[in-house]
Amino acid sequence: MLEKNFESLYLMFRSNYYKRFIEEIGVKEGSLSATESYCVEIIYLLDKPTVSDFAQFLNLSVPNANYKINSLVKKGYVVREQSKKDLREQHLSVTDKFLDYYGLNDALIAHLMKRIRETFSPEDLEVVEGMIGRIVVLMREGADQVEGKIN
């Protein structure tokens, strides 16, 4: 039951995000394909990865990763930044254009938080907050062990 409920919660967040993302972007010149939207989201979640980090995380060759990144740069969702420590490296970061779309779940989350505060007692809220905090730690540990690091 726990697995099913957790999966339902996760899928509700993801489906709402992609529904709103597609509604907002639509199918027009410069819009993102499904693969591109996943790639730019991974760049965001990895928090300014190098091209090599991005390629390694997705198990892509560096040339293939560069091809995907170039498309995202051209469309204005990602920028390359020269590393100050190693001039041979470039770090990837998302632009405000992406962040505007990425915030589409904010309204859902704000509404959900309002309903949770109205529904649960202050004591229950404290328990829920503590449990969510521990779940985040477990997810980070699992991501580090299974797929690579997601911040």
Side-chain angles (χ1 to χ4, degrees):
M1 187 68 151
L2 174 64
E3 288 84 356
K4 188 162 186 69
N5 286 337
F6 191 83
E7 182 180 21
S8 293
L9 177 64
Y10 172 76
L11 292 175
M12 288 169 65
F13 276 114
R14 299 308 307 149
S15 62
N16 181 71
Y17 168 73
Y18 285 110
K19 177 181 183 281
R20 304 264 326 270
F21 191 87
I22 289 169
E23 285 173 355
E24 198 68 30
I25 290 180
V27 180
K28 57 186 174 195
E29 188 174 334
S31 65
L32 297 173
S33 69
T35 301
E36 288 172 329
S37 66
Y38 294 133
C39 287
V40 71
E41 187 173 14
I42 292 298
I43 290 168
Y44 176 71
L45 294 173
L46 289 174
D47 192 25
K48 298 187 179 184
T50 63
V51 174
S52 295
D53 292 338
F54 173 73
Q56 183 179 16
F57 183 84
L58 291 177
N59 203 22
L60 300 171
S61 68
V62 172
N64 191 358
N66 269 313
Y67 177 79
K68 293 179 184 314
I69 293 162
N70 288 339
S71 176
L72 296 171
V73 169
K74 184 177 178 183
K75 291 181 179 184
Y77 290 94
V78 170
V79 293
R80 295 174 183 261
E81 299 170 347
Q82 195 74 40
S83 172
K84 290 176 175 65
K85 293 179 183 176
D86 184 347
L87 297 178
R88 297 170 294 174
E89 281 188 345
Q90 292 181 333
H91 289 270
L92 307 170
S93 60
V94 298
T95 63
D96 289 342
K97 183 176 182 179
F98 169 76
L99 292 174
D100 289 345
Y101 292 121
Y102 200 71
L104 295 173
N105 256 352
D106 291 351
L108 171 68
I109 292 170
H111 178 72
L112 179 59
M113 292 302 106
K114 180 179 183 276
R115 296 281 296 137
I116 287 172
R117 284 187 176 90
E118 292 171 353
T119 304
F120 294 102
S121 70
E123 296 80 18
D124 286 344
L125 283 174
E126 219 174 291
V127 170
V128 168
E129 186 176 357
M131 292 174 80
I132 291 172
R134 290 191 302 237
I135 290 168
V136 167
V137 168
L138 291 172
M139 288 181 74
R140 283 189 179 139
E141 289 171 358
D144 287 348
Q145 293 171 3
V146 176
E147 299 174 14
K149 190 173 186 202
I150 296 180
N151 292 328

